[in-house]
Amino acid sequence: MITLEGIEGAGKSTQRETLATTLTELGIPFLQTREPGGSPIAERIRALLLDPAHKGLCAQAELLLVFAARAEHLDQTMRPALEAGTWVLSDRFTDASFAYQGGGRGIPAESITGLESLVQGELRPDLTFLFDLPAEIGLKRAKARADLDRFEAETLEFFERARQVYLHRAKQEPGRFRVLDATLDVEQVGRHVRQALIDFVTRMQSSGQ
Ligand code: TMP
């Protein structure tokens, strides 16, 4: 399982395409998906979560909805793919819950860890790309696009806290994370992403996985 993470405006979607193209070139069967979402019911929960009209949604309800969507996504999409030997490339996963609901909303990490075990069991991503940039730059980029969703309308401080949690997690798990400087130009980031993926695949293949 490969995941992409980062605050708003980090250029994740463009780099997801780079990863998809590289996996295709390498002949690796994969499924591209996203969170929240990735299955019919999870996509409906996504709509609830992102709707700017739901401004007053309380933090605990938000956290539980994110994990409800994840449970569905895992059951309907991710686990069947992984069990069939298909790689899964997910635009966000549980690191986003630690960053946004933990860092952003201030929910204690232990509560999130509890839900993570409940919903995922032992399942964790094998490789995570973190597209890192200062919240100020990310928000400026996100705000240049039309129609802000409920998260994009959050404050600079919210995203700075989320960024710090991402960086902290990356530091704690250097084997899983590849941190990329998302302030660099898109082509440059793309080259780093491509190389990191090729290195990972080579390592997996030489260890027989
Ligand atoms: P996206 O804009 O990358 O598609 O992600 C949708 C939003 O959902 C994004 O602002 C981050 C947020 N989110 C959480 O708050 N918690 C989570 O666990 C996930 C997966 C996403």
Side-chain angles (χ1 to χ4, degrees):
M1 189 202 309
I2 301 175
T3 59
L4 295 96
E5 298 283 358
I7 59 166
E8 319 301 302
K12 231 167 8 80
S13 316
T14 313
Q15 301 307 336
R16 190 185 57 216
E17 289 313 311
T18 306
L19 288 169
T21 308
T22 310
L23 285 171
T24 305
E25 283 169 15
L26 294 169
I28 293 171
F30 69 98
L31 172 94
Q32 222 181 129
T33 186
R34 68 170 180 184
E35 287 211 345
S39 77
I41 293 173
E43 285 292 330
R44 294 187 69 175
I45 299 173
R46 177 189 176 91
L48 268 175
L49 281 162
L50 299 195
D51 189 340
H54 300 160
K55 212 170 167 213
L57 184 67
C58 79
Q60 286 87 352
E62 179 180 290
L63 175 71
L64 293 168
L65 283 170
V66 157
F67 271 96
R70 182 161 299 131
E72 270 294 307
H73 184 210
L74 279 164
D75 184 64
Q76 296 294 310
T77 309
M78 287 181 119
R79 285 193 197 280
L82 293 168
E83 280 160 18
T86 303
W87 289 32
V88 171
L89 177 61
S90 186
D91 189 339
R92 297 194 187 280
F93 195 59
T94 310
D95 292 304
S97 307
F98 284 96
Y100 283 75
Q101 283 66 53
R105 303 275 185 234
I107 293 178
E110 310 81 72
S111 305
I112 305 175
T113 306
L115 289 168
E116 181 183 38
S117 316
L118 173 73
V119 168
Q120 293 165 227
E122 299 291 306
L123 187 66
R124 301 288 181 277
D126 299 287
L127 176 66
T128 297
F129 288 93
L130 171 58
F131 299 96
D132 177 58
L133 84 176
E136 209 174 336
I137 303 175
L139 262 194
K140 216 176 260 170
R141 287 185 187 170
K143 288 194 167 148
R145 299 191 294 245
D147 301 334
L148 296 185
D149 67 36
R150 199 174 58 85
F151 288 103
E152 287 166 341
E154 276 299 337
T155 61
L156 189 64
E157 292 71 28
F158 177 95
F159 290 109
E160 201 47 58
R161 290 196 298 276
R163 179 194 186 198
Q164 293 311 322
V165 170
Y166 271 137
L167 288 172
H168 178 70
R169 291 178 67 75
K171 218 173 184 176
Q172 301 249 304
E173 290 185 69
R176 170 164 74 91
F177 277 90
R178 303 289 178 277
V179 183
L180 296 133
D181 179 353
T183 62
L184 300 175
D185 73 75
V186 180
E187 285 76 27
Q188 220 172 335
V189 180
R191 279 196 295 277
H192 291 308
V193 163
R194 187 181 152 77
Q195 195 52 53
L197 178 61
I198 292 171
D199 293 346
F200 174 77
V201 171
T202 309
R203 230 172 349 101
M204 291 286 280
Q205 286 171 343
S206 62
S207 70
Q209 291 183 57

